[in-house]
Amino acid sequence: MARRVAVIGGGSSGLCAIKACLDEGLEPVCFERSRDIGGLWRFEEQPEEGRASIYRSVIINTSKEMMCFSDFPIPDDFPNYMHHSKIMEYFRMYARRFDLLRHIRFGTSVCRVSKSPDFATTGRWEVVTESEGKQQSDVFDAVLVCTGHHTDAHLPLHAFPGIEKFKGRYLHSRDYKDPQDFRDKRVVIIGIGNSGSDLAVEISQTAKQVFLSTRRGAWIFNRVGQQGYPIDIVFTTRLKALMQQLLTSSMASGFAERQLNMRFDHAHYGLKPKHRVFDQHPTVNDDLPNRIISGRVRVKPNIQEFTETSAIFEDGTREDVDAVVFATGYSFSFPFLEECVKVVENQVSLYKYVFPVDLEKPTLAFIGFIQPLGAIMPISELQCRWATRVFKGLSTLPPRHAMEADIKHKKEEMAKRYVASRRHTIQVDYIPYMDELACQLGVKPNLPLLFLTDPPLALEVLLGPCTPYQYRLRGPGAWRGARAAILTQRQRVLQPLQTRPVEENSSASVLPLLRKLAVAVAVFAVIFLLL
Ligand code: FAD
Ligand code: NAP
C-alpha cells in the first residue's frame, strides 16, 4: 500500500506538495481550511479566518518565468508580472493538468498533529482535523506543512505610544483592500517593505496626502529592468551569481547602489538607508519615486508618538492624520504542532528550512518557510521533491550534529549580512539555495558536461535566467520538456509585450547576439585553460 502523506494547506506550496507525492508514488491527502485552492493569491473581500489576505490591485513582484513550477511553464501570452487573478488562473491550470483537486479535502482545518505512540519505530503522525464542527483523527506516514507565513499580521502597537488615544482609523496592511476609504484623507503608512510602498503609491492617487514613515529607509528596485526585461530575469543568472562570489560584498553593493542612484538619488528622496543595498530584503516599486517627486507621498522618519489627531515623528515634525496603515509585516506560527516545533520571534530551527532535527524519524517537513530573493513557488516545489524522497528513504539526512551546525552557520551568516529585523529570519538567495536543495536530490545541472554535450543549452543555463526548468534536466523527476522550455524562455518573456507590430532595430537585435558570443568565447577559454 502507498504510504499516506498529510499535506496541510492548499495554497501554491500545498499544490506542488500533492504533485510531488504523486510523482513519488505516495498517497497525499491535502487538508485546506477554506473552500478553494490558491491560499494567499485567491483575493476575497473578506477571506476566511486563518487564510492570508491581499489587496484588490496586487501584482506579483516575481516574473512569470522565474515563479512557475518547473515542469509547467506559464502560458506564452500571460504577462510577465501577473495580477492575482492571472496567478489564480495559472494555479487552476496546474491543478487541472495534474489532477490534484481530488486529493484535497476542502473546508477542513488541521487542529492538531502529534506523534503516534509508535513514532520512534514508524515515524507516523496522528492528525486531528475539523470540518463542519466535527473532529476526526487519522494516522499518516508523513506530514508536509504548507500553511504559509504571511497570514498573521504583526501589529506592533506597543512601539507607538499614544496610538490608544488616536481618534482616527488604524489598520494593518493585511486588512487593506482598496483606496476608496482614504479618499481626501491624510494617511500615514508605517513600513517600507513591498506592502508599505505599494499602498503608499495606490492610496496617494486619491488621498489628500500620504506620509510614508520608515525607521531606516530602503533601496528601491524596479520591476522593469535593463532593456525592459523583468529585473529578476536580468539578475538571476548563474554567471552573475558567480561574479558576485568573486566580488567583495562592499564592491557588489557599491555597484548596485550606483545603478539605483542613477535612476534617482536615494538621498535626495529621503530614502537613503545607513545599510548597504544587499543588507535588507528588497523593496520593488517602479512608481514610488514618481509619487514622491509629485509630492503625493512624503517620506518621513519613524513615528515617536501619536496624539488624538496627529503623528509626531522622530525629527520633531508633526502631521495631522486621519488614518494609519501598519505595513509592518507578518509573524508565523504552527499552533497545531506546538509540542514539536517552536517559533521564537519569527525564528525556527529547521535543517535547510525544511526538516526539524530532533525527530527520531524524518517524516515531518515544512514547505515554503523561506523569504527568498526570488519567487517562493519553485523553491517550495524543490523542497517538496526533496522531502518526499527523504520520506521514502531514497535520500538521507546527515547526523543531528551536522544539521545543527548547518542551521547555526546559516543563522550566523544571515545575522552578519542583514540588518537586525524580525523580517530577516528566513532569508535565502535564490540560486545558492535552489542548488543546495538540488544537490540533495541529484538534480543540479551539470554545467561542464552540458558544455561538452549540448553547448547551446549550456550557454543559456549559464548566461540566461536561472529558471526552475534547470532543475528538471536530469536526475529524479527529470522532464523531457525542460530543454525546450529553457531555450524558448526569452520568447515567452517577449510575447505578451508584442501587441503591436513594429520594425526591429537591426543593431538592437545583433548586439545581444554579439555580446552572447563574446561571453561564450570567454567561457570556453576559461574551461579550456582549466582543463
Ligand atoms: P499560502 O498561500 O498562505 O497558503 C496556505 C494555505 O494553507 C491557505 O490556503 C490556508 O487556508 C491553509 N491553511 C493554513 N492553516 C491551515 C490549517 N491548520 N488547516 C488547513 N489549512 C490551513 N511570493 C513570491 O514568490 N512572489 C511575490 O511577488 C510575492 N508577493 C506577495 C505579495 C503579498 C501582498 C504577500 C502578502 C505575499 C507575497 N508573496 C510573494 C509570498 C506568498 O506567501 C507566496 O507567494 C505564496 O502565497 C506562498 O504560498 P503557500 O502555499 O506557502 O502559503
Ligand atoms: P515586511 O517585508 O516584513 O516589511 C515590514 C516593514 O515594516 C519594514 O519596513 C519594517 O522595517 C517595518 N516595521 C516592522 N515593525 C516595525 C516597527 N515596530 N516600527 C517601525 N517599522 C516597523 O512586510 P510586507 O511589506 O508586508 O511584505 C511581506 C511579504 O509580502 C514580503 O515577502 C513581500 O515581498 C511580499 N509583498 C509583495 C508584494 C508584491 O509582490 N507586489 C506586495 C506586498 C508584499 P524594518 O526593516 O526596519 O524592520
Side-chain angles (χ1 to χ4, degrees):
M1 262 197 13
R3 278 190 277 174
R4 297 173 77 225
V5 180
V7 175
I8 312 177
S12 52
S13 300
L15 291 178
C16 58
I18 300 171
K19 174 164 182 297
C21 289
L22 294 172
D23 288 349
E24 286 295 338
L26 300 166
E27 188 189 317
V29 179
C30 173
F31 301 105
E32 167 52 51
R33 66 156 41 114
S34 70
R35 297 270 161 203
D36 201 350
I37 60 166
L40 174 141
W41 291 105
R42 183 160 47 80
F43 171 82
E44 257 169 59
E45 207 61 64
Q46 285 178 329
E48 311 77 0
E49 187 61 25
R51 183 165 71 86
S53 169
I54 49 174
Y55 34 101
R56 194 183 298 280
S57 65
V58 83
I59 288 178
I60 199 161
N61 268 338
T62 45
S63 76
K64 67 171 183 175
E65 288 301 305
M66 301 305 299
M67 64 155 275
C68 63
F69 295 117
S70 59
D71 53 0
F72 195 67
I74 293 174
D76 301 21
D77 60 329
F78 277 36
N80 285 283
Y81 290 112
M82 296 189 282
H83 182 247
H84 57 73
S85 53
K86 230 43 197 170
I87 296 172
M88 277 307 295
E89 217 177 308
Y90 171 65
F91 290 161
R92 290 196 196 287
M93 290 164 74
Y94 181 74
R96 233 182 355 257
R97 164 70 183 81
F98 297 106
D99 198 11
L100 306 179
L101 294 187
R102 65 196 176 88
H103 302 279
I104 307 178
R105 294 188 194 162
F106 289 110
T108 308
S109 291
V110 170
C111 334
R112 194 156 52 84
V113 175
S114 51
K115 292 176 179 175
S116 68
D118 57 0
F119 183 83
T121 49
T122 63
R124 286 194 186 135
W125 296 91
E126 277 177 15
V127 176
V128 179
T129 56
E130 187 173 315
S131 179
E132 292 173 352
K134 281 197 206 111
Q135 287 210 343
Q136 199 181 323
S137 176
D138 205 347
V139 175
F140 287 88
D141 297 293
V143 176
L144 287 165
V145 179
C146 306
T147 47
H149 60 91
H150 291 123
T151 301
D152 304 334
H154 168 60
L155 193 58
L157 296 182
H158 62 277
F160 294 92
I163 189 72
E164 67 288 347
K165 43 181 188 216
F166 177 63
K167 288 200 165 143
R169 176 183 177 203
Y170 71 82
L171 68 156
H172 188 270
S173 57
R174 184 190 192 283
D175 300 317
Y176 171 84
K177 292 291 145 186
D178 53 42
Q180 66 193 21
D181 290 349
F182 301 95
R183 180 176 288 274
D184 299 328
K185 298 269 185 335
R186 290 168 65 85
V187 184
V188 63
I189 294 166
I190 302 173
I192 195 169
N194 287 303
S195 297
S197 54
D198 268 8
L199 266 51
V201 166
E202 178 161 288
I203 294 174
S204 70
Q205 304 284 347
T206 49
K208 192 184 249 172
Q209 182 65 58
V210 167
F211 304 97
L212 178 56
S213 161
T214 164
R215 58 183 171 186
R216 62 175 113 238
W219 296 97
I220 307 295
F221 290 81
N222 261 14
R223 275 196 183 110
V224 182
Q226 276 167 19
Q227 294 183 314
Y229 280 96
I231 191 165
D232 50 2
I233 289 278
V234 177
F235 279 111
T236 322
T237 74
R238 288 188 178 277
L239 186 68
K240 290 206 168 105
L242 274 173
M243 279 161 42
Q244 204 158 1
Q245 277 174 17
L246 298 177
L247 299 177
T248 62
S249 73
S250 173
M251 280 159 75
S253 298
F255 177 74
E257 287 162 12
R258 269 192 301 282
Q259 298 270 314
L260 296 179
N261 276 334
M262 268 181 358
R263 180 161 165 255
F264 70 92
D265 187 317
H266 283 58
H268 294 166
Y269 278 57
L271 287 166
K272 185 169 182 249
K274 288 203 182 93
H275 58 261
R276 307 304 302 266
V277 62
F278 297 123
D279 301 354
Q280 183 184 43
H281 187 71
T283 298
V284 184
N285 201 302
D286 300 45
D287 303 322
L288 186 61
N290 253 317
R291 306 307 296 161
I292 297 173
I293 202 168
S294 57
R296 307 302 296 159
V297 172
R298 286 171 59 191
V299 180
K300 301 290 282 182
N302 204 24
I303 293 170
Q304 192 176 299
E305 67 170 299
F306 284 96
T307 69
E308 288 186 356
T309 53
S310 63
I312 302 172
F313 297 88
E314 280 178 352
D315 61 355
T317 55
R318 179 191 186 118
E319 298 289 352
D320 286 342
V321 288
D322 305 301
V324 183
V325 183
F326 286 86
T328 41
Y330 293 88
S331 303
F332 61 89
S333 62
F334 310 106
F336 48 86
L337 254 176
E338 249 165 32
E339 296 152 40
C340 315
V341 180
K342 289 219 164 17
V343 183
V344 182
E345 307 221 326
N346 257 14
Q347 298 206 40
V348 64
S349 287
L350 297 171
Y351 178 55
K352 298 200 188 297
Y353 306 100
V354 176
F355 285 103
V357 296
D358 52 357
L359 297 175
E360 298 94 318
K361 299 275 176 188
T363 53
L364 174 67
F366 291 76
I367 304 301
F369 289 92
I370 27 91
Q371 182 65 63
L373 302 190
I376 287 188
M377 300 79 181
I379 297 184
S380 288
E381 187 196 27
L382 202 51
Q383 290 178 329
C384 291
R385 288 170 66 195
W386 176 41
T388 47
R389 304 277 294 175
V390 172
F391 292 165
K392 283 177 71 179
L394 296 172
S395 178
T396 47
L397 300 184
R400 180 173 172 170
H401 67 86
M403 295 197 275
E404 282 173 342
D406 187 74
I407 292 172
K408 184 165 173 279
H409 174 71
K410 285 192 163 58
K411 281 191 178 160
E412 285 168 359
E413 289 297 304
M414 216 179 317
K416 250 193 261 164
R417 169 163 159 194
Y418 286 99
V419 292
S421 163
R422 58 195 310 291
R423 68 198 287 234
H424 295 145
T425 56
I426 47 175
Q427 292 295 124
V428 298
D429 287 324
Y430 186 82
I431 297 181
Y433 182 64
M434 286 291 270
D435 279 358
E436 203 177 329
L437 293 175
C439 287
Q440 308 295 317
L441 256 173
V443 300
K444 184 179 165 195
N446 183 339
L447 255 182
L449 187 68
L450 270 188
F451 267 108
L452 293 174
T453 54
D454 193 344
L457 179 63
L459 267 184
E460 188 61 10
V461 168
L462 177 67
L463 307 179
C466 181
T467 44
Y469 325 118
Q470 292 199 5
Y471 301 97
R472 289 279 182 187
L473 287 169
R474 68 188 195 102
W479 172 49
R480 287 160 73 99
R483 181 180 189 276
I486 292 170
L487 294 176
T488 53
Q489 57 201 11
R490 291 170 198 254
Q491 289 160 30
R492 281 190 301 283
V493 171
L494 293 181
Q495 168 151 350
L497 298 168
Q498 291 168 346
T499 48
R500 175 177 161 261
V502 286
E503 259 178 48
E504 180 106 24
N505 175 345
S506 58
S507 65
S509 59
V510 169
L511 269 178
L513 200 68
L514 286 178
R515 213 176 297 139
K516 222 170 154 180
L517 268 175
V519 178
V521 170
V523 170
F524 274 124
V526 171
I527 289 176
F528 181 74
L529 285 176
L530 287 177
L531 290 176

